[in-house]
Amino acid sequence: MAARKKEVYVFLMQLLLASLFGILTGHLLLSICILLAFLYFRQAREIHRFEKWIGHGGKGDYPKATGIWEEIYYHIYLLKKTDKRRKKKLRRMIKQFRQSTEALPDAAVVLNANDQIEWSNKTARDVLGLQLSDKGQRIPYLIRSPEFISYLNYGNYTDPVILPSPVNHRLILAVRIVAYGSGLRLLLAQDVTQLKKMETMRKDFVANVSHELRTPLTVLKGYLETVQDLDDGSSPLFTSSFKEMQGQTERMQHLVDDLLLLTRLETKQKKSACVNVPALLSQICKEGDALGNAGRRIELTLESGAHIYGEEQELRSAFTNLLGNALKYSPDDAPVKVRWYQSAATIVLAVEDFGEGISPIDIPRVTERFYRVEGKHRKKVPGTGLGLAIVKHVLMRHDARLEIASTPRKGSCFSCHFPIQRLCKP
Ligand code: ADP
C-alpha cells in the first residue's frame, strides 16, 4: 500500500516537473508526452526483466528493482519460499508413508477406476507376484484366479475372498478391497496360511473325536437298554441311576451327531437339486405334531408353492431345528406358526412362537456354537447349543440369511430368507 502511494507520489512529482518545464519552454504537450514515453519504456523494461526471471522458474535472488517492482519481487520471493518449504514437508511425508507401507506385512495395491495398478508395496510384489514395471497394468490380467476376478467385479467387499497366492500355492491369502477417493480402490492381501491350517486341524480334530466317540456310545446305549430291560424295579436307586445314565448317553449322542453334521457342513461339497419345500415343511410339521405333548400346536401356512434349489437333507435339519426350538422354548399350549411365503426379493420361511423370547444381548450370540441362554428353567430344557449354529451354516451354504426378532416373555420369530435366484420350477 505504502509502495503504491509512493509510486503515485513520484509520478505526480514527475508530471509537475514536466509541466513546469513545458510551461517555461512553451512546449507543455511535448514535455508531457516525452515523460509518458519515458515512463512507458521504463515499465516495459521492468516487465521484460520480470518475465525473464519468472520464465526461469524465479530461481535464485530476484533482480534489483525499485518502487512497486521491488515490492512485487519480494512478495513472489516469499510465496516461493513458503511453497518450497511445503513441498519439502510433503516429500518427507510421502517418503515416510512409502517406507511404512513397504514395511507392512500385508500386501497393499492401489487400483484406479479401471482396475489398473497405481502403486504396490514390497509384500504385494512378493506374494502376488507383481513387478514394479506392472504399474498401469490391469490387475485381472496379473491375478487370473476366477474367484478373485468375480470378487473384484461383483464382490461384496465387506468380506474377504480366500485364495492361494499366484506365486506360491501353499500360501493362502485373504484378499480384501477397500474403496476410497474418487474411484480408487485399495487391495489388501493378508497371509492366513497358519490360520487356515489351524482351522483345518480344529475341523479334523472335532470330526475325528466325534467319529471315534460314536461307536463306544452306541455300545454303551445298547448295554444300558439291556440292563434296563432286566431291571425288575426292586431297587429305586438302580432304576433312577440307569434312567439318568440313559438320558446322559442320549444327550452325548445328540452332541456327537450335531458336531458331525457341522463338520460335514463345513467340508462337504455343495450339491443342489430342486427341493419341494412345501412338502418338506408339511412332513416336518407332521413329525413335530407327533412329538407327544406338542400335539396340534403347529399352524402351517403355505402362502407360496415355491420350490428352491438346495440340499434337502440340510434344509430338513435346519427347519427341524428351528421348529424344535420353537416347541422347546414355548409353553405346551401356545401355538407355533410356520409360514412359507415369497416377497419381492426373497422366499421366506418364518417360524414364530409365543414363548419365553430372547433378550437383545443374547440375540447376536445364539448362533454361536455351544451358546445357550442362561435362565431359571434352562437346565431342564435339553439341548446341545449347536442347533442354531447348524441352521446358520445350512443357510450360508444356500446363500440365505437368518433373521431373529424376539421379545422376552412374548416370543420369537426366526426367519430364513432365500434369494429369489434359488427359485426353481416345481
Ligand atoms: P439348543 O440345543 O440349546 O436349543 P440352539 O443353538 O438351537 O441350541 O439354540 C441356542 C440357544 O438359543 C438356546 O439355548 C436358547 O437359549 C435360545 N433359543 C433358540 N431358539 C429359541 C426360541 N425359539 N425361543 C427362545 N430361545 C431360543
Side-chain angles (χ1 to χ4, degrees), residues 215-234:
T215 322
L217 267 175
T218 318
V219 175
L220 207 64
K221 205 169 159 235
Y223 277 123
L224 277 174
E225 275 165 13
T226 319
V227 174
Q228 232 178 0
D229 285 346
L230 297 175
D231 181 22
D232 55 4
S234 57

Side-chain angles (χ1 to χ4, degrees), residues 289-330:
D289 276 334
L291 284 178
N293 56 10
R296 263 175 280 131
R297 289 199 299 137
I298 304 167
E299 293 170 16
L300 172 66
T301 318
L302 296 171
E303 286 171 29
S304 159
H307 295 198
I308 59 169
Y309 280 111
E311 238 273 32
E312 183 160 345
Q313 275 316 314
E314 291 182 12
L315 290 174
R316 172 187 285 278
S317 106
F319 298 167
T320 311
N321 266 310
L322 288 180
L323 184 65
N325 280 351
L327 293 168
K328 260 194 315 190
Y329 300 109
S330 65

Side-chain angles (χ1 to χ4, degrees), residues 74-243:
Y74 181 64
H75 281 304
I76 291 180
Y77 172 75
L78 283 186
L79 276 175
K80 281 188 67 64
K81 220 166 139 181
T82 330
D83 190 43
K84 207 168 156 185
R85 228 179 291 140
R86 199 178 305 132
K87 270 191 187 153
K88 207 169 156 186
K89 200 172 154 193
L90 268 173
R91 255 199 304 271
R92 206 174 48 232
M93 275 167 70
I94 290 175
K95 196 174 160 195
Q96 277 173 358
F97 171 75
R98 290 220 158 148
Q99 277 172 347
S100 59
T101 43
E102 281 291 310
L104 268 181
D106 295 345
V109 184
V110 173
L111 302 173
N112 67 15
N114 275 334
D115 300 332
Q116 285 164 318
I117 298 173
E118 295 264 319
W119 171 86
S120 61
N121 70 352
K122 184 176 175 305
T123 319
R125 296 192 290 277
D126 291 346
V127 300
L128 297 173
L130 304 178
Q131 309 280 327
L132 275 174
S133 55
D134 286 335
K135 192 171 173 218
Q137 291 278 346
R138 293 195 68 234
I139 194 109
Y141 296 157
L142 303 168
I143 305 177
R144 290 166 172 272
S145 142
E147 291 107 306
F148 172 72
I149 294 174
S150 87
Y151 177 73
L152 182 72
N153 294 336
Y154 320 105
N156 168 10
Y157 293 159
T158 44
D159 294 321
V161 60
I162 308 290
L163 314 166
S165 152
V167 281
N168 177 359
H169 279 250
R170 271 182 298 191
L171 271 188
I172 308 292
L173 303 175
V175 178
R176 184 188 289 276
I177 290 179
V178 185
Y180 73 99
S182 51
L184 290 179
R185 282 178 291 177
L186 179 65
L187 181 152
L188 295 166
Q190 191 184 15
D191 181 355
V192 288
T193 318
Q194 278 309 318
L195 218 72
K196 285 280 151 196
K197 243 186 214 163
M198 277 162 66
E199 208 178 297
T200 315
M201 270 164 66
R202 175 190 60 83
K203 280 182 200 163
D204 289 350
F205 175 75
V206 174
N208 290 339
V209 169
S210 315
H211 198 76
E212 290 302 321
L213 281 175
R214 224 177 177 185
T215 322
L217 267 175
T218 318
V219 175
L220 207 64
K221 205 169 159 235
Y223 277 123
L224 277 174
E225 275 165 13
T226 319
V227 174
Q228 232 178 0
D229 285 346
L230 297 175
D231 181 22
D232 55 4
S234 57
S235 164
L237 179 65
F238 271 128
T239 310
S240 68
S241 303
F242 280 125
K243 212 168 163 200

